[in-house]
Structures are given as C-alpha cells and as structure tokens.
Amino acid sequence: MNNVKVLNKWANAHTYFSVDLVRMALGVFLFIKGVSFITNAQYLGDLLAPIDKTEGGMYGMFIMHYVATAHFLGGIMIVFGLLTRWAIIAQLPILIGAVVLNFMGEMHSQNLFLSLLTLSICLFFLVYGSGKNSADYYFKMQE
C-alpha cells in the first residue's frame, strides 16, 4: 500500500494533460474492442480457436465472456480514471494472451503490433496511475 502512495505522489507531481488524454484514448480503444467482441462473437471465437481444443469448448466460452466484459467495463473505467490500476490488472492477462496467441496460430503482424502497443501503454499506466484528471484523484481530494 505504501508503494502505491509513493507512485501516486510521483505521478501527481509529474502529471500532464497529454498523458491523461493517452489514458482516455486507451480506455476508448478498449471499450470499442469490447463492443466489437460483443457484437461479433464469431470473430473472437475464430481468434481463440488455437486455444480452444478441449471438448465442448467450455474454456473458450469462458475466455470469450471474460475478454469482452473486461474490455467493455475496463475501458469505461480507464476513460474516467476510476480504479485505473485494477482495470488494467484485469486487462493484462488478455493482452499477454493476445501477444502469445499470435505465435500459436496464424501470425497477424498488425494484431501483434497493436497488442504489444496496448500492453506497453497498460504497463505504463499500471505504474503511473490515473493522474490528476481522473475520478480517482477527484474522490481522493473529497476525503
């Protein structure tokens, strides 16, 4: 807990509006991906086909629901800066899986680049936090 307070103090001392815009853009991107996966479940199923080799596809169905929901809700939370670190922690297994998935099945260089870029931005905000222009900062100042 003490490490989080130290990181928050450092981030609030070095906050810039452009960094908050990048956080908001990341949230919008994840939200749009979540909506895309919800509306086009067959595409997500095709992406997860190399993983789902089990009988009945129970793991694939669980992963499909987790990915779509985490992107959808996590994107909203990241846009507003509400529990940003927790939302990003929920995104990390998905993004690491997206990178690994490119090596398991057919290689899509554009998907690999997008996954690596999103993963690196998420790792940055995992350390940086949500910044001053966020709901977390607003609620902290209300205490």
Side-chain angles (χ1 to χ4, degrees), residues 2 5 9 13 18 24 30 34 56-57 66 80 82 88 92-93 101 116 122-123 128-131 134:
N2 196 18
K5 287 182 181 181
K9 285 182 182 180
S18 59
M24 291 176 199
L30 290 172
Y66 175 70
F80 291 111
L82 181 64
I88 287 176
L92 290 179
L101 197 62
L116 285 172
C122 279
L123 289 174
Y128 184 79
S130 54
S134 66

Side-chain angles (χ1 to χ4, degrees), residues 12 15-21 23-24 78-81 130-138:
N12 290 335
T15 190
Y16 303 102
F17 189 68
S18 59
V19 175
D20 290 333
L21 287 177
R23 186 201 74 231
M24 291 176 199
I78 292 170
V79 166
F80 291 111
S130 54
K132 278 191 177 179
N133 299 313
S134 66
D136 285 340
Y137 186 78
Y138 174 77

Side-chain angles (χ1 to χ4, degrees), residues 34-101:
V35 169
S36 162
F37 289 149
I38 290 171
T39 58
N40 194 359
Q42 183 61 40
Y43 173 68
L44 182 58
D46 292 342
L47 285 175
L48 296 174
I51 293 175
D52 197 27
K53 302 287 184 188
T54 62
E55 292 182 28
M58 287 299 294
Y59 295 117
M61 190 59 66
F62 173 74
I63 292 171
M64 285 175 59
H65 283 84
Y66 175 70
V67 167
T69 305
H71 277 349
F72 184 77
L73 295 176
I76 292 171
M77 292 172 69
I78 292 170
V79 166
F80 291 111
L82 181 64
L83 301 173
T84 303
R85 287 190 175 108
W86 286 106
I88 287 176
I89 288 171
Q91 303 298 321
L92 290 179
I94 299 168
L95 296 171
I96 292 169
V99 171
V100 170
L101 197 62

Side-chain angles (χ1 to χ4, degrees), residues 92 95-96 99 114-124:
L92 290 179
L95 296 171
I96 292 169
V99 171
L114 202 56
S115 299
L116 285 172
L117 180 66
T118 307
L119 179 63
S120 62
I121 293 172
C122 279
L123 289 174
F124 171 75

